[in-house]
């Protein structure tokens, strides 16, 4: 994955036309027909942030951020946008390390306070379930990070 000058790992790249521009962001109509890069086999299909279909079945609209200091392109301009990932290390910490730490603290702490190991483990598992529910809710509300390059 390339950096694209954003200081982040960026993998998916699309070319398209700007259909509207605002303060720090643009809406880009991307052609995803079979001749271009099709959405059908993309692993990010469910979460790429498509706003709607823009040109029948062959186009989707993506909202992209314009990096600070860059000129915001006018509607009709040809541009390239990239989707940057948050990184596998951050994902690993959020999905595995933090819940394990919470579980261990609750189990050891509960046992130290005189609760039985079974009750402490159940409290730890309940806390992990709540953590994963909150994480799922937050991640669904977060929009993907498309950037103009």
């Amino acid at each position: 994955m390339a950096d694209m000058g954003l200081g982040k790992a960026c993998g998916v790249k699309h070319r398209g036309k700007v259909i509207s521009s605002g303060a720090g962001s643009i809406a880009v109509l991307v052609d995803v027909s079979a001749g271009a890069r099709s959405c059908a086999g993309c692993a990010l299909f469910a979460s790429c942030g498509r706003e709607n279909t823009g040109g029948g079945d062959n186009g989707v609209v993506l909202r992209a951020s314009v990096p600070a200091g860059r000129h915001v392109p006018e509607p009709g301009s040809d541009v390239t946008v990239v989707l940057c990932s948050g990184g596998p290390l951050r994902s690993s910490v959020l999905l595995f390390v933090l819940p394990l730490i919470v579980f261990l603290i609750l189990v050891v702490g509960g046992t130290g306070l005189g609760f039985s190991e079974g009750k402490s483990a159940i409290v730890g598992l309940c806390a992990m379930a709540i953590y994963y529910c909150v994480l799922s809710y937050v991640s669904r509300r977060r929009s993907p990070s498309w950037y103009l390059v």
Side-chain angles (χ1 to χ4, degrees):
M1 291 197 176
D3 180 302
M4 301 290 176
L6 296 170
K8 303 174 186 185
C10 300
V12 180
K13 180 165 82 169
H14 286 302
R15 290 199 50 76
K17 283 198 179 302
V18 176
I19 57 173
S20 68
S21 58
S25 69
I26 56 174
V28 179
L29 177 62
V30 176
D31 179 20
V32 289
S33 62
R37 186 168 188 164
S38 175
C39 290
C42 184
L44 299 172
F45 179 73
S47 63
C48 77
R50 296 179 315 269
E51 289 186 357
N52 59 11
T53 56
D57 294 332
N58 295 336
V60 294
V61 177
L62 302 173
R63 174 112 357 231
S65 298
V66 179
R70 291 271 319 258
H71 169 71
V72 177
E74 298 294 324
S77 303
D78 288 325
V79 295
T80 301
V81 293
V82 293
L83 183 63
C84 298
S85 67
L89 178 62
R90 186 176 125 221
S91 298
S92 297
V93 168
L94 287 175
L95 290 174
F96 303 115
V97 176
L98 286 179
L100 179 63
I101 290 171
V102 167
F103 178 76
L104 290 175
I105 287 172
L106 289 174
V107 170
V108 172
T111 305
L113 291 173
F115 294 108
S116 69
E117 292 174 353
K119 287 182 181 177
S120 297
I122 290 173
V123 169
L125 290 173
C126 289
M128 286 178 59
I130 292 169
Y131 173 83
Y132 282 124
C133 288
V134 170
L135 186 64
S136 173
Y137 177 76
V138 169
S139 66
R140 289 176 194 261
R141 296 185 53 88
R142 188 173 167 260
S143 61
S145 304
W146 286 97
Y147 293 96
L148 174 69
V149 291

